Amino acid sequence: MIRIDKEILLQFFNELIIKQDYFECHEIMEEVWKDKGKFTKGDPEVFMVLIVTGEYHYRRDNVIGAATSYKRALKLYEQHRYDVGEFGFKDELVDMLRERYIHLADTPFVPLQYPVEDWVYEGLYQLHGAEFESYTAFTLSLLERFEKDETIVDKHKLRDREEVIEARLEALNRKLMKRK
C-alpha cells in the first residue's frame, strides 16, 4: 500500500492540471519515489513518472518518446495493477491512457481531462479559487486549460544543466580512476 502525503499529491496535481508542467510533475514524483529509501523500477511512482513523461513528449510532438513512455507505463500497470486511487486518480485513468497511446500518431496533443477524486479539485480550488467567481467556474476553466508557454513546454532544454553536467563528469572521472 502506498502512502503519499496529500500535500505532495496536491503539489503534483497543481503542476499536472493547473500549470501543466509535466517536467515538474516528473521531478516531484521521482523525489517521492527516491525518498522511500528502498525503491524499485516496479514501484507505482515509476508508473506515474512514465505517464507525465509521456505527456511531456506528446505535447512537444515527440510521438516516439511519448509512445515509449506510455507503453512502459501500461506494461508496468499490467504487471502490478496499481491502485491509482491512492494517487488521487479514478480507475478510468488507465483506460484513458490506453486510448491516448493507441491514437498518438493520428491525434494532436490536447491536455488530458484527468479523472481525479473530488478532493483533488477541492484542494486545487482552495489554492486558486480566489481567481474565480465560483467552484463551477473554476472547474469549467480546467476544461479549457492548454499551456503553451515555451518555458514550460521546453523546460528540459531551457533549464540550467551545469550541475547535471558536473555530476556526470565527476562520475566519469571516478570510473576512469577505478580503471587505472
Side-chain angles (χ1 to χ4, degrees), residues 74-126:
L74 291 167
K75 183 177 179 182
L76 272 177
Y77 181 80
E78 292 304 318
Q79 292 171 341
H80 301 281
R81 298 290 178 179
Y82 306 116
D83 180 359
V84 296
E86 291 189 18
F87 285 94
F89 289 103
K90 294 181 180 175
D91 289 335
E92 57 262 29
L93 172 70
V94 177
D95 290 334
M96 288 177 77
L97 291 173
R98 282 188 189 109
E99 281 296 307
R100 196 151 179 91
Y101 173 67
I102 290 167
H103 297 288
L104 276 174
D106 59 25
T107 306
F109 174 84
V110 293
L112 270 179
Q113 298 301 315
Y114 298 97
V116 297
E117 301 292 340
D118 291 340
W119 69 262
V120 173
Y121 285 140
E122 291 162 3
L124 292 175
Y125 182 66
Q126 286 178 359

Side-chain angles (χ1 to χ4, degrees), residues 23 155-166:
F23 187 89
K155 195 167 194 171
H156 82 284
K157 291 191 326 187
L158 302 174
R159 73 180 194 260
D160 179 7
R161 301 204 16 97
E162 190 172 324
E163 284 183 33
V164 173
I165 292 167
E166 284 179 26

Side-chain angles (χ1 to χ4, degrees), residues 4-32 44-53 55 84 86-89 93 114 116 119-120 124 127:
I4 301 176
D5 184 279
K6 275 193 175 181
E7 274 196 43
I8 293 171
L9 287 174
L10 204 51
Q11 289 172 14
F12 174 83
F13 282 114
N14 188 56
E15 299 297 334
L16 183 69
I17 295 171
I18 303 296
K19 295 181 180 179
Q20 296 174 3
D21 188 339
Y22 307 127
F23 187 89
E24 193 60 33
C25 291
H26 173 285
E27 297 294 300
I28 291 168
M29 200 52 62
E30 184 176 55
E31 188 174 323
V32 167
E45 294 87 356
V46 175
F47 169 71
M48 300 301 295
V49 165
L50 288 167
I51 292 169
V52 296
T53 302
E55 291 292 277
V84 296
E86 291 189 18
F87 285 94
F89 289 103
L93 172 70
Y114 298 97
V116 297
W119 69 262
V120 173
L124 292 175
L127 291 173

